[in-house]
Amino acid sequence: MEKLQLPPIDYSALAPMLILFGVACVGVLLEALVPRRARHGVQLSLALLACAAAFVMVVLERGSRIITIGTAVAVDGPTLFLQGAIIVLGAVSLLLIGERTVEPGGAFVAQAAITVGSQKDVRQTVGAPGGTEVYPLALFALGGMLMFVSANDLLTMFVALEVFSLPLYLLCALARRRRLLSQEAALKYFLLGSYASAFFLFGVALLYGYANGVHFNQIHEAVANPARSQVLLYAGLALLAIGLLFKAALAPFHVWTPDVYQGAPTPVTALMAACTKVAAFGALLRVLYVGFEGARWDFQPILGTIAVLTMLVGAVLAVTQTDIKRLLAYSSIANAGYLLVGVLALNQAGVSSTMFYLVAYGFSVLAAFAIVTLVRDADGEATHLSRWAGLGRRSPVFAGVFTFILLAFAGIPLTSGFTSKFAVFGAAVQGGQTWLVIFGVITSMLIAFPYLRVVVMMWLSEPGDSTPAVSIPGFLTSAALTIGVIATLALGVVPAPLLDLSDKAADFVR
């Protein structure tokens, strides 16, 4: 019997993923082999070197348009752009994760198995070195995200979904302080994420029955030349969408976001807000533009309604928040709605503007959470909004930086927020989705209120006894904050280079 000859695997195209997964495995071994006192520096340096090496491989692969590992992985313009964005944003997140001077011992618990409220727990709170397993976990999550945006079939996408989700569930539970809140957040995220994954897998099963395969090309052909019941197509796409919309924090699958953002360690929240959103929308772009492009007239009105609902939920509920992390969570939900407007343009400008928005928002939200880690008292981070009153008098530099970031979220000109919103709204008008742009503009005005309320509270209120001081940032937090602020300003003033790059990269291989 003649053996089936498979095409050779292009390992250079897979190198970014392989590097992160390989270094993550090495990091697990180092947990057992390296002395505890030296582990933090070694693990952090190794993780940052892995991100640097992976980014270099992404740059070297620029211009590639291949499908490898059979038809499981597609390496094209959107893949490389989104992988580069995930790696860079992930490296900045690692800087926040690695900070050890703002919070003595770091933001993470020394041992995850310590009983909450025990004597050991009290002792670790006041300065025991934080656990370093967070670095390989973060690398596994980032590697899974790289696989997620390059997956060219639904089974590979499901595996990638689980690979990057499981480490995030664990990371959410490792906060040094407020450990019960952190563990509650992790449990909610795990349970709801498991349901979302189950819906995704049921959708894969139905679509396999419809297309007789799970590769996007097979689904594309089956949609163009239907031979089976359309019920399988619509039910499968609906179930598949639930899993993707959950990860993107789109309504009505957004309810986990405020609780998880509030309870997770702030560096992990920053990682999720920046990188998970890139991965989720990268996968959504590939699913809709490659696999289901022929069904656009069927899913466009439904997803448009979800976009409007998401923008309204994010904007309206942000007004009622009294915790800064929950406020940023609802801001993230609203921004997910704006991103979906760009996705639903269903043209090349939609892909380009969505990818630009993901990068611009990622840097801004990392800078915002970097500031949140600095506003603290003896009990840890002071996240209640009332504690931020008069902060501009106590620490005008950091209050000014946070004001700039909030103005970027509100879409004020000369910030990346304005440029990115203008880009996605322009693409939507070009794609005939003017009604979504109208709702986008209205909700942008609504959500500006809670941002401006925080600005007024910081600058026009008198500092009280409960107003905390802003800690002096360590080198790692300073670097992350500086990168985020410079990127937010640069992408608002001179966005053309990144816009041109995203436009050149906005072409999927089929």
Side-chain angles (χ1 to χ4, degrees), residues 315 318-320 410 443-456:
V319 177
T320 66
T443 54
S444 294
M445 292 187 290
L446 286 176
I447 202 169
F449 172 75
Y451 299 146
L452 295 177
R453 183 182 63 176
V454 176
V455 172
V456 169

Side-chain angles (χ1 to χ4, degrees), residues 270-426:
L271 172 68
M272 293 168 57
C275 299
T276 304
K277 200 167 290 294
V278 177
F281 276 96
L284 188 63
L285 283 169
R286 189 169 296 278
V287 166
L288 297 183
Y289 280 71
V290 179
F292 294 92
E293 185 183 18
R296 61 189 300 171
W297 304 114
D298 299 312
F299 68 71
Q300 205 169 28
I302 298 172
L303 290 182
T305 304
I306 288 175
V308 171
L309 179 62
T310 303
M311 291 185 286
L312 286 173
V313 166
V316 173
L317 293 186
V319 177
T320 66
Q321 300 309 307
T322 58
D323 184 275
I324 192 67
K325 291 176 74 174
R326 293 183 72 89
L327 172 59
L328 292 175
Y330 281 104
S331 170
S332 175
I333 292 167
N335 278 280
Y338 303 137
L339 281 160
L340 189 56
V341 172
V343 172
L344 293 176
L346 295 177
N347 52 30
Q348 184 172 345
V351 179
S352 171
S353 60
T354 301
M355 293 193 302
F356 176 85
Y357 197 122
L358 287 166
V359 174
Y361 176 74
F363 281 114
S364 298
V365 80
L366 285 173
F369 281 111
I371 292 290
V372 172
T373 64
L374 300 177
V375 182
R376 57 194 313 116
D377 54 21
D379 296 324
E381 294 167 356
T383 58
H384 198 281
L385 284 180
S386 63
R387 306 288 303 280
W388 289 56
L391 197 66
R393 311 284 181 90
R394 290 275 178 91
S395 213
V397 174
F398 292 107
V401 170
F402 196 67
T403 299
F404 174 70
I405 297 299
L406 291 178
L407 293 178
F409 287 151
I412 300 301
L414 299 183
T415 66
S416 61
F418 172 80
T419 310
S420 51
K421 281 189 175 68
F422 187 86
V424 295
F425 290 165

Side-chain angles (χ1 to χ4, degrees), residues 6 71 150 152 193 209 262 332 342 400 422 453 459 465:
L6 294 175
T71 57
S150 63
N152 197 47
Q262 183 183 19
S332 175
F422 187 86
R453 183 182 63 176
W459 292 103
D465 294 335

